[in-house]
Amino acid sequence: MPRCLVARRLHFNAAHRLHNPDRSEEWNRDTFGPCNNPHYHGHNYELDVIVEGDIDAETGYVLDVGVLKRIVEEAVIQQLDHRNLNLEVPWFRDHIPTAENIAVFIWDLLAPRIPSGRLQRIRVWETPRNYVDYEGA
Ligand code: NI
C-alpha cells in the first residue's frame, strides 16, 4: 500500500510569558529577553498537524482532513485560542510555554485521537520565521 503524509494547518492566538520561577529575575531577563515581559505578550500561532498512513483502498484517503480539522479544533484549538497560556491552561503551570512545550502538549492531546494512520509530526509556528517540530518522545 502506498503511504502518504497528510497535513492540516490551523491557527490560534495566545498570550504567554517565558519565565522560570526557580531562577532569578536577572537570569530570566537574560534568558528570555522580551518574552519574559511580566505583562505577557501574544503570538499568532500556526499549527501543522501531520499524519502518516496507508491510503485506504475504498476512500483514497489516509484520513479525511475534515475529520482531522474537527478533532484538532475540539481537542486543541478550543483550549488554546485567545487564552493566556500561563494563567488559563493548567499544564503550563509546570511547563514554560515555549513553542517546544506547546508542541509536546499538543502531541499528547492529539496522538491518541487520530482515527487512522498515526500522528507523524506537530509543527508549531510561533512567528512566520520560527517553528518547532515534535515527533513524539
Ligand atoms: Ni513570546
Side-chain angles (χ1 to χ4, degrees):
M1 256 301 169
R3 292 176 73 74
C4 281
L5 299 178
V6 174
R8 176 77 193 195
R9 177 166 291 185
L10 295 98
H11 175 80
F12 61 96
N13 306 108
H16 73 172
R17 179 192 189 200
L18 304 186
H19 183 79
N20 183 339
D22 296 334
R23 303 301 299 262
S24 68
E25 294 296 327
E26 186 186 11
W27 182 92
N28 274 286
R29 274 195 306 273
D30 288 348
T31 302
F32 297 122
C35 276
N36 185 240
N37 177 355
H39 302 292
Y40 304 96
H41 62 276
H43 290 282
N44 293 311
Y45 291 95
E46 298 287 348
L47 166 62
D48 294 335
V49 176
I50 301 159
V51 173
E52 176 182 36
D54 294 329
I55 300 174
D56 183 274
E58 274 187 337
T59 63
Y61 289 155
V62 171
L63 86 171
D64 181 334
V65 287
V67 170
L68 179 62
K69 168 180 179 278
R70 264 205 310 283
I71 290 167
V72 180
E73 282 175 344
E74 287 172 13
V76 175
I77 302 298
Q78 284 181 15
Q79 279 202 67
L80 301 183
D81 192 30
H82 287 77
R83 302 289 177 173
N84 180 312
L85 300 179
N86 302 71
L87 300 181
E88 295 183 272
V89 182
W91 193 80
F92 292 107
R93 285 180 198 148
D94 305 323
H95 300 85
I96 299 170
T98 56
E100 289 88 333
N101 278 331
I102 293 169
V104 172
F105 175 75
I106 292 171
W107 177 281
D108 289 346
L109 285 174
L110 285 182
R113 290 180 160 89
I114 300 301
S116 62
R118 65 162 201 104
L119 189 57
Q120 194 269 343
R121 184 183 310 158
I122 293 294
R123 176 168 291 180
V124 175
W125 294 85
E126 193 168 72
T127 75
R129 294 175 191 275
N130 298 344
Y131 69 79
V132 166
D133 277 354
Y134 184 60
E135 297 183 347

PDB file of all heavy atoms in Angstrom, residues 16 18 35 41 43 126, ligand 1:
ATOM      1  N   HIS A  16       1.507  34.599  26.305  1.00  0.00           N
ATOM      2  CA  HIS A  16       2.337  33.830  27.224  1.00  0.00           C
ATOM      3  C   HIS A  16       3.406  34.729  27.839  1.00  0.00           C
ATOM      4  O   HIS A  16       3.597  35.871  27.457  1.00  0.00           O
ATOM      5  CB  HIS A  16       2.971  32.609  26.545  1.00  0.00           C
ATOM      6  CG  HIS A  16       4.081  32.891  25.581  1.00  0.00           C
ATOM      7  ND1 HIS A  16       4.851  31.911  25.017  1.00  0.00           N
ATOM      8  CD2 HIS A  16       4.553  34.052  25.057  1.00  0.00           C
ATOM      9  CE1 HIS A  16       5.751  32.436  24.215  1.00  0.00           C
ATOM     10  NE2 HIS A  16       5.600  33.727  24.214  1.00  0.00           N
ATOM     11  N   LEU A  18       7.499  33.741  29.122  1.00  0.00           N
ATOM     12  CA  LEU A  18       8.524  32.739  29.392  1.00  0.00           C
ATOM     13  C   LEU A  18       9.244  33.160  30.665  1.00  0.00           C
ATOM     14  O   LEU A  18       9.856  34.235  30.734  1.00  0.00           O
ATOM     15  CB  LEU A  18       9.502  32.634  28.216  1.00  0.00           C
ATOM     16  CG  LEU A  18       8.846  32.325  26.864  1.00  0.00           C
ATOM     17  CD1 LEU A  18       9.919  32.105  25.801  1.00  0.00           C
ATOM     18  CD2 LEU A  18       7.913  31.131  26.937  1.00  0.00           C
ATOM     19  N   CYS A  35      10.411  38.049  25.719  1.00  0.00           N
ATOM     20  CA  CYS A  35       9.397  37.031  26.040  1.00  0.00           C
ATOM     21  C   CYS A  35       9.243  36.847  27.550  1.00  0.00           C
ATOM     22  O   CYS A  35       8.367  36.118  28.006  1.00  0.00           O
ATOM     23  CB  CYS A  35       9.709  35.699  25.355  1.00  0.00           C
ATOM     24  SG  CYS A  35       9.087  35.643  23.658  1.00  0.00           S
ATOM     25  N   HIS A  41       2.595  38.744  26.462  1.00  0.00           N
ATOM     26  CA  HIS A  41       2.517  39.241  25.090  1.00  0.00           C
ATOM     27  C   HIS A  41       1.926  38.124  24.256  1.00  0.00           C
ATOM     28  O   HIS A  41       1.904  36.960  24.684  1.00  0.00           O
ATOM     29  CB  HIS A  41       3.916  39.630  24.558  1.00  0.00           C
ATOM     30  CG  HIS A  41       4.833  38.466  24.504  1.00  0.00           C
ATOM     31  ND1 HIS A  41       5.545  38.039  25.598  1.00  0.00           N
ATOM     32  CD2 HIS A  41       5.114  37.580  23.521  1.00  0.00           C
ATOM     33  CE1 HIS A  41       6.233  36.961  25.282  1.00  0.00           C
ATOM     34  NE2 HIS A  41       5.988  36.653  24.027  1.00  0.00           N
ATOM     35  N   HIS A  43       1.102  35.899  20.517  1.00  0.00           N
ATOM     36  CA  HIS A  43       1.601  35.417  19.226  1.00  0.00           C
ATOM     37  C   HIS A  43       0.423  34.925  18.397  1.00  0.00           C
ATOM     38  O   HIS A  43      -0.578  34.453  18.945  1.00  0.00           O
ATOM     39  CB  HIS A  43       2.566  34.243  19.407  1.00  0.00           C
ATOM     40  CG  HIS A  43       3.876  34.624  20.016  1.00  0.00           C
ATOM     41  ND1 HIS A  43       4.883  35.228  19.294  1.00  0.00           N
ATOM     42  CD2 HIS A  43       4.345  34.492  21.279  1.00  0.00           C
ATOM     43  CE1 HIS A  43       5.921  35.436  20.089  1.00  0.00           C
ATOM     44  NE2 HIS A  43       5.624  35.007  21.304  1.00  0.00           N
ATOM     45  N   GLU A 126       5.615  29.911  15.782  1.00  0.00           N
ATOM     46  CA  GLU A 126       5.377  30.988  16.744  1.00  0.00           C
ATOM     47  C   GLU A 126       5.415  32.343  16.044  1.00  0.00           C
ATOM     48  O   GLU A 126       4.743  33.292  16.461  1.00  0.00           O
ATOM     49  CB  GLU A 126       6.402  30.938  17.868  1.00  0.00           C
ATOM     50  CG  GLU A 126       6.015  31.813  19.043  1.00  0.00           C
ATOM     51  CD  GLU A 126       6.877  31.529  20.245  1.00  0.00           C
ATOM     52  OE1 GLU A 126       8.062  31.912  20.223  1.00  0.00           O
ATOM     53  OE2 GLU A 126       6.374  30.908  21.196  1.00  0.00           O
TER      54      GLU A 126
HETATM   55 NI    NI B   1       6.781  35.014  23.044  1.00  0.00          NI
END
